[in-house]
Amino acid sequence: MDYATLKALRPSEFTEAADGYRSVSSMADNAYASAEQQITTRLRSGLSGKAVDAAVEQLQLLAKNFHYTQVECGLAATSLNALAASLTTAKSKLDAAVSDAEAAKFSVGADGSVSYPPAGEEKDGRLPDGGTVSGSAKGKPSGNVIDPAKDANDLSAALERQAANIHPNPNFGRRWR
């Protein structure tokens, strides 16, 4: 997900959708119980014959469909709520980082890049130049025992630290939450 998408994201839309699925799941549960227990019991208690048996069979098939709808909508609601929770955490971290950058008088571009002003100790009568940073060289770890992305991330982090340590502007390589 890119910066602009995460910035504009409203996780509450996912929880609202989850509420809708949960509502459908509840309705399907009520319809399942009604078709499976109440209606079929009443049919069998007062009537008999092939027509009643066929009607009961059809009601049981209908009840299975309601049960399927109940389970699937429940799973969709749970998944949407989990997604909303994850996105809320990510959005909170992003919002905190943007607030930190703005508090430090840095500017955040529409692409998520951060521009920092000239700062540090004067050298040859000038402050070290400001700059703009964007992205990272880091990859997504796979979690496997042998993981090239993890090794590359460790190397990338080490190189970023070294570059930040030797750069004359103290804002270069600054870490945000």
Side-chain angles (χ1 to χ4, degrees):
M1 182 177 302
D2 65 1
Y3 170 77
T5 303
L6 186 56
K7 186 75 177 154
L9 183 73
R10 291 187 13 224
S12 62
E13 292 177 352
F14 293 97
T15 56
E16 290 168 7
D19 291 344
Y21 276 101
R22 183 82 56 214
S23 177
V24 171
S25 177
S26 179
M27 286 187 274
D29 178 45
N30 291 336
Y32 167 72
S34 180
E36 180 71 18
Q37 296 164 0
Q38 296 171 356
I39 298 172
T40 56
T41 304
R42 286 184 187 163
L43 275 175
R44 288 185 180 189
S45 67
L47 304 170
S48 63
K50 288 183 179 183
V52 172
D53 291 340
V56 167
E57 186 178 322
Q58 290 299 309
L59 281 170
Q60 287 173 335
L61 288 174
L62 180 63
K64 284 183 182 180
N65 287 336
F66 282 132
H67 185 254
Y68 175 81
T69 302
Q70 173 200 3
V71 171
E72 291 299 316
C73 287
L75 289 171
T78 302
S79 297
L80 285 167
N81 280 326
L83 176 63
S86 295
L87 292 174
T88 298
T89 301
K91 185 163 176 55
S92 295
K93 287 180 180 180
L94 174 69
D95 291 342
V98 168
S99 294
D100 287 349
E102 289 171 349
K105 305 291 186 227
F106 294 3
S107 60
V108 180
D111 62 350
S113 62
V114 177
S115 298
Y116 55 90
E121 296 180 20
E122 284 191 14
K123 296 200 180 201
D124 298 327
R126 298 179 8 148
L127 287 176
D129 292 336
T132 301
V133 260
S134 63
S136 173
K138 296 183 179 180
K140 182 178 180 184
S142 67
N144 295 331
V145 175
I146 298 174
D147 188 354
K150 183 182 180 314
D151 296 336
N153 288 348
D154 293 343
L155 179 60
S156 173
L159 290 171
E160 287 174 8
R161 279 193 311 276
Q162 290 173 14
N165 288 336
I166 63 171
H167 199 279
N169 188 326
N171 293 319
F172 182 84
R174 184 171 172 182
R175 286 279 173 216
W176 303 102
R177 293 182 199 222

